[in-house]
Amino acid sequence: LIIMIGLGSMLFHGSLRYSMQLLDELPMLWFALACTGSLLRRLRGIESAMSIVLVGAGLTVVTLFTVQHSFIHEVARGLMSATFSGCLIVMAWGFTALVDKITYDLPEKQRRMAGAVKQ
């Protein structure tokens, strides 16, 4: 997935074509969805894999197989942006919560060594 993001970004920024823009954005959406699903499962016990696959696949199919300026395509692009924004919010919360959890779970000596607790 990381390689797909890199290749898509290279193709888009090298050509500035709309089809290449989708090859840039869709892997980033899938990566954000995967991170969100992983964080929700790890931190809240929410199994969201099927929902994430359905959202990602639905947006990918509609975006790739509709005419660029059609109403349905524009709606899918808007939903894609909203989904990505929601994923970024969940990731910001999740990464902060993970750092707090790791810091809390460390023994006192290791926290002092890591500089997490001021002496």
Side-chain angles (χ1 to χ4, degrees):
L1 198 51
I2 300 292
I3 292 171
M4 292 291 296
I5 292 170
L7 287 175
S9 187
M10 182 181 70
L11 290 170
F12 170 57
H13 293 282
S15 69
L16 296 179
R17 296 183 184 269
Y18 183 70
S19 57
M20 298 300 127
Q21 180 180 350
L22 293 178
L23 290 179
D24 183 28
E25 293 176 358
L26 288 170
M28 284 189 264
L29 175 68
W30 278 97
F31 185 78
L33 286 168
C35 287
T36 298
S38 177
L39 288 167
L40 288 174
R41 183 175 39 84
R42 179 175 298 269
L43 295 171
R44 294 287 184 213
I46 299 171
E47 288 296 331
S48 57
M50 186 58 74
S51 301
I52 285 173
V53 168
L54 289 174
V55 167
L59 289 173
T60 299
V61 167
V62 172
T63 304
L64 290 177
F65 295 108
T66 55
V67 178
Q68 181 178 351
H69 295 292
S70 67
F71 177 75
I72 190 81
H73 186 82
E74 296 297 329
V75 168
R77 294 283 291 161
L79 289 173
M80 194 167 95
S81 294
T83 301
F84 190 76
S85 297
C87 287
L88 289 178
I89 291 168
V90 171
M91 286 189 289
W93 160 79
F95 294 142
T96 303
L98 278 177
V99 168
D100 288 345
K101 182 175 174 27
I102 290 168
T103 302
Y104 180 76
D105 290 346
L106 283 176
E108 180 69 27
K109 183 177 179 182
Q110 287 179 331
R111 277 191 264 170
R112 277 197 310 268
M113 289 173 55
V117 175
K118 296 188 183 207
Q119 299 177 7

